[in-house]
Amino acid sequence: MKTFIYLIAILCSTLTFAQENKGVTVTVEIPNLLNNDGKVSAALYDEATFMKAAPLDASETTPENKSVTLVFENVQPGSYGIITLHDLNSNGRMDFEPSGMPKEPYGISGVGASFGPPTWGDAKFTVEEEDITIKISM
């Protein structure tokens, strides 16, 4: 019986610890889309994966009223960057002009994009202990 009570106590403390490390919710609002065509996606990166590897998490939705809200849950404190894409033709990738310029609207978190491809320095934002909302213009 003591062993059973001991196991229950360990289980309860483990569950409490897991709940404490739950992370926060990062909400991405994009209010200024050109239209309601296609899909809008957002990808969450850390510095090691930004523009180099698969995102840590991704979210996609269909626009309504020329806007979308995308949510990332259980994000741990740290530095992150978000890249968004309005995939107008729903082909699952960004389309480019022959000159190399994007045909479809995109945006990044942080201070905003400078001329050229997105950089970590432009996109970086900090997640702390509170849920946050980020507005991204495309």
Side-chain angles (χ1 to χ4, degrees):
M1 185 67 163
K2 284 183 182 180
T3 304
F4 180 72
I5 293 172
Y6 180 70
L7 288 174
I8 295 294
I10 289 175
L11 178 62
C12 289
S13 66
T14 303
L15 290 175
T16 301
F17 181 73
Q19 289 174 353
E20 289 173 9
N21 290 328
K22 181 181 169 201
V24 301
T25 299
V26 176
T27 303
V28 178
E29 295 178 350
I30 306 172
N32 61 339
L33 299 173
L34 298 174
N35 56 48
N36 292 325
D37 295 345
K39 301 274 186 181
V40 176
S41 61
L44 180 71
Y45 297 90
D46 61 12
E47 186 172 11
T49 59
F50 189 79
M51 299 288 288
K52 299 173 194 163
L56 303 173
D57 198 1
S59 181
E60 180 180 81
T61 192
T62 304
E64 291 183 25
N65 300 317
K66 297 182 181 178
S67 67
V68 296
T69 300
L70 300 144
V71 177
F72 297 102
E73 296 195 15
N74 198 25
V75 179
Q76 299 301 311
S79 294
Y80 297 93
I82 295 174
I83 300 175
T84 60
L85 171 66
H86 188 176
D87 185 8
L88 297 168
N89 57 7
S90 297
N91 67 351
R93 62 183 175 85
M94 179 181 272
D95 296 317
F96 294 90
E97 299 286 349
S99 65
M101 296 297 292
K103 281 185 174 181
E104 298 171 306
Y106 72 94
I108 63 170
S109 55
V111 296
S114 57
F115 188 73
T119 66
W120 174 251
D122 291 336
K124 183 172 84 168
F125 67 96
T126 302
V127 171
E128 294 178 352
E129 302 298 325
E130 301 289 326
D131 293 348
I132 61 171
T133 298
I134 297 172
K135 290 189 181 193
I136 297 178
S137 295
M138 298 174 95

